[in-house]
Amino acid sequence: MGNPFSQSITVTATIKAPRSSVWKVLTDFEQYGEWNSFTPSADVAFYPGGKVHLEAHMGKKGKPWRLNLQVYEVVDGHSFSWGMHALFPLQAIRHQRLEEIDAKTTRYISHETFRGPLVPLVLWIYRTRIIAGIEAVAQGLGEEVEKIR
């Protein structure tokens, strides 16, 4: 089964648009509310060490979670990662990457790694919601990019 205190969730989507078009939408954080139902609000200082303040909808009911994260890596036009690193009981880092399949097609990959003693409990409670949320991001991103290109 592997280490229960270190687990990952990966979601991929194929988007019928060039990588540069997908990158433009994915990194236009002010417009997240237009297409991103899981993370409709994101205030991002987009450089390594920059602060990220976002809202995440973890279910159908209730208020969104307000998260304060940090940007860890930015590879312009290709990938970035942010997450909660300093919280000992739970570390979560999301790495979002774009791969060019051909000039008109891009693969979006969202890979989230969870580490720490709270991982089994957190994923037992929230795994389904996290996966549904990341899938909603992938779907919304694809629909938005294909709509505007």
Side-chain angles (χ1 to χ4, degrees):
M1 176 178 149
N3 182 350
F5 302 111
S6 179
Q7 296 186 42
S8 297
I9 295 172
T10 302
V11 171
T12 63
T14 300
I15 300 172
K16 295 177 182 171
R19 185 174 68 189
S20 61
S21 298
V22 180
W23 181 257
K24 184 176 179 181
V25 171
L26 183 61
T27 58
D28 186 356
F29 305 110
E30 291 180 9
Q31 297 302 313
Y32 265 31
E34 298 294 317
W35 61 269
N36 191 333
S37 62
F38 184 58
T39 314
S41 173
D43 181 17
V44 181
F46 197 49
Y47 54 85
K51 301 298 180 198
V52 178
H53 306 283
L54 57 82
E55 292 183 350
H57 287 280
M58 294 298 290
K60 295 178 182 176
K61 298 179 182 176
K63 294 181 181 180
W65 288 12
R66 295 189 194 306
L67 301 171
N68 297 308
L69 311 172
Q70 179 178 341
V71 175
Y72 291 107
E73 177 185 49
V74 175
V75 179
D76 194 40
H78 178 68
S79 65
F80 63 91
S81 61
W82 61 38
M84 301 183 291
H85 191 72
L87 300 176
F88 171 72
L90 179 66
Q91 173 191 39
I93 298 177
R94 177 171 296 159
H95 185 74
Q96 298 179 75
R97 183 174 80 239
L98 303 178
E99 293 179 352
E100 185 175 285
I101 295 173
D102 60 40
K104 297 180 180 179
T105 313
T106 302
R107 178 177 295 114
Y108 167 76
I109 302 158
S110 181
H111 180 80
E112 185 137 1
T113 302
F114 301 88
R115 292 189 178 98
L118 289 180
V119 169
L121 176 64
V122 168
L123 291 184
W124 180 70
I125 296 170
Y126 295 107
R127 178 185 295 276
T128 302
R129 293 180 197 174
I130 292 169
I131 292 170
I134 297 171
E135 287 175 344
V137 171
Q139 180 178 346
L141 175 63
E143 289 171 359
E144 183 70 10
V145 172
E146 291 173 12
K147 178 176 77 175
I148 63 171
R149 62 174 191 114

